[in-house]
């Protein structure tokens, strides 16, 4: 098993048509064209109970990004992690998957510190982190350099193998353009969001698992303050004696707008994922079935439907749906030879 290592990578991408960005100030340093070359060097080093890691990357325009950090077990009950990142505003990459607040490997600097404590063994675990970041250049709907701070804490309690309960609190403040600004020059103001979640999971038997969640959000931005909530019930059924599994969810949600949306992970077909935003007022349910026809032949079928009680249309442009119901269906067949 490789623990310490040094790696070097080089990737050249050629597109069959040039990539053209919208001519806006925040896109000034984004990649345009049909060819891009990236170079990188990564490392990992284990020193006693400290695991150091990092990466350097450079794009063809000499834009530079780097990330470094370490993970350590200070005690059998205490783990820490610290990560520093510096992504220059002119670094360009088409396929990066960075550790960042903006999901982009450019125009961000930040430091993250996380802590995990297990005061009474495996039954109780406390996870918390603090992430401070800044963006030296403009971003979409942010017309000046900006910054933010993200705080998260979660307490997980497992009284037995069949029961898991956790409570989570997340508080994030970031700068955004002031809403409904009437002056000639945009200016920034704090957008403050708090999410509080309580999740309960109970394994009824070897075949049936129930999960319940309630999550509340408070969004405070400029002169507006919004509230919202999400409640759902999950049922997972997987009999040991049959080649079938079934997952289902029914959710109630009520938020004042898309700004106070709440995200929740949903099970999906193989190699796909679904984390839809729940917003406005309505209900949503989905059913997913997996069936193994014979050895090496599997089929997935998924149906989901969202109903909005306070909307008559959904989407925009060519994706506009007349009505207050949106349905989705997926089917997938896998053959293994």
């Amino acid at each position: 098993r490789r623990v310490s290592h040094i790696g070097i990578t080089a990737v050249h991408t050629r597109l069959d048509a040039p990539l053209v960005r919208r001519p806006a100030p925040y896109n000034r340093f984004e990649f345009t064209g049909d060819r891009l070359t990236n170079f990188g060097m990564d490392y990992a080093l284990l020193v006693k109970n400290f695991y150091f890691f990092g990466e350097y990357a450079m794009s063809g325009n000499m834009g530079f990004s780097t990330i470094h950090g370490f993970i350590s077990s200070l005690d059998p009950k205490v783990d820490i992690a610290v990560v520093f990142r510096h992504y220059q505003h002119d670094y360009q990459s088409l396929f990066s998957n960075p550790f960042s607040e903006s999901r982009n490997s450019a125009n961000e600097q930040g430091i993250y510190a996380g802590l995990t404590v297990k005061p009474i063994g495996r039954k109780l675990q406390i996870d918390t982190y603090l992430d401070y970041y800044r963006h030296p250049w403009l971003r979409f709907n942010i017309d000046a350099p900006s910054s933010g701070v993200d705080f998260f804490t979660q307490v997980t309690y497992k009284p037995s193998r069949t029961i898991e309960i956790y409570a989570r609190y997340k508080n994030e403040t970031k700068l955004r353009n002031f809403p409904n600004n009437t002056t000639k020059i945009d200016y920034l103001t704090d957008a403050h969001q708090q999410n509080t979640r309580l999740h309960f999971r109970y394994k009824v038997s070897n075949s049936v698992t129930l999960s319940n969640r309630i999550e509340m959000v408070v969004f405070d931005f400029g002169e507006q303050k919004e509230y919202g909530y999400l409640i759902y019930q999950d049922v997972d059924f997987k009999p040991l004696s049959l080649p079938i599994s079934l997952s289902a969810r029914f959710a109630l949600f009520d938020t004042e707008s898309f700004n106070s949306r709440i995200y929740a992970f949903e099970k999906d077909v193989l190699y796909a994922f679904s984390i839809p935003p729940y917003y406005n007022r309505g209900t949503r349910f989905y059913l997913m079935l997996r069936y193994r026809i014979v050895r090496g032949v599997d089929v997935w079928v998924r149906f989901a439907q969202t109903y909005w009680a306070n909307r008559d249309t959904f989407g925009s442009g060519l994706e506009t749906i007349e009505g207050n119901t949106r349905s989705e269906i997926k089917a997938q067949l896998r053959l293994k030879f």
Side-chain angles (χ1 to χ4, degrees), residues 18-33:
L19 180 62
V20 180
R21 304 282 184 176
R22 177 186 174 187
Y26 68 89
N27 275 333
R28 178 182 176 185
F29 299 102
E30 294 290 332
F31 169 72
T32 60

Side-chain angles (χ1 to χ4, degrees), residues 247-260:
S247 298
R249 170 178 296 174
F250 180 76
L252 298 169
F253 57 91
D254 188 354
T255 75
E256 297 186 43
S257 75
F258 184 74
N259 286 329
S260 50

Side-chain angles (χ1 to χ4, degrees), residues 191-243:
H192 184 208
Q193 180 168 323
Q194 301 178 72
N195 288 72
T196 306
R197 175 189 299 179
L198 181 63
H199 188 92
F200 178 82
R201 182 175 179 270
Y202 175 49
K203 191 171 184 180
V204 180
S205 65
N206 291 332
S207 302
V208 179
T209 302
L210 303 178
S211 299
N212 306 85
R213 176 180 298 180
I214 178 170
E215 184 163 348
M216 294 175 288
V217 60
V218 180
F219 180 76
D220 191 354
F221 181 37
E223 299 176 352
Q224 66 185 76
K225 193 168 187 177
E226 300 182 7
Y227 301 87
Y229 72 83
L230 165 68
I231 301 174
Y232 72 64
Q233 171 71 62
D234 279 357
V235 179
D236 293 308
F237 177 63
K238 189 176 182 180
L240 300 178
S241 59
L242 298 175

Side-chain angles (χ1 to χ4, degrees), residues 27-180:
N27 275 333
R28 178 182 176 185
F29 299 102
E30 294 290 332
F31 169 72
T32 60
D34 60 357
R35 299 183 183 185
L36 178 64
T37 302
N38 295 90
F39 303 94
M41 189 276 287
D42 63 280
Y43 69 90
L45 178 64
L46 181 63
V47 180
K48 295 185 178 180
N49 59 329
F50 282 82
Y51 182 73
F52 297 92
F53 58 89
E55 182 177 359
Y56 299 87
M58 181 177 291
S59 50
N61 66 337
M62 304 305 290
F64 184 80
S65 284
T66 186
I67 183 171
H68 306 275
F70 71 86
I71 301 172
S72 177
S73 293
L74 302 180
D75 181 90
K77 297 180 179 180
V78 180
D79 297 326
I80 64 169
V82 176
V83 180
F84 167 78
R85 59 194 184 274
H86 183 99
Y87 308 147
Q88 288 186 345
H89 58 275
D90 57 347
Y91 176 74
Q92 299 173 346
S93 177
L94 296 176
F95 304 107
S96 60
N97 185 21
F99 181 91
S100 66
E101 187 277 334
S102 60
R103 298 182 177 86
N104 193 355
S105 56
N107 189 33
E108 182 169 316
Q109 301 166 10
I111 185 166
Y112 164 99
L115 176 70
T116 296
V117 180
K118 300 176 182 178
I120 55 173
R122 297 182 178 180
K123 289 188 176 182
L124 183 65
Q125 179 170 314
I126 303 171
D127 299 288
T128 186
Y129 72 74
L130 183 68
D131 187 26
Y132 173 78
Y133 52 86
R134 61 185 301 269
H135 305 288
W137 186 245
L138 284 58
R139 300 172 62 212
F140 179 71
N141 282 338
I142 304 176
D143 297 336
S146 60
S147 61
V149 61
D150 185 4
F151 172 75
F152 169 96
T153 186
Q154 176 174 303
V155 179
T156 304
Y157 179 55
K158 298 179 181 179
S160 67
R161 293 184 177 181
T162 60
I163 298 176
E164 178 180 312
I165 306 169
Y166 74 78
R168 173 184 297 181
Y169 174 74
K170 189 174 188 291
N171 187 319
E172 184 172 17
T173 301
K174 63 176 68 175
L175 289 169
R176 292 171 57 179
N177 286 351
F178 186 84
N180 304 318

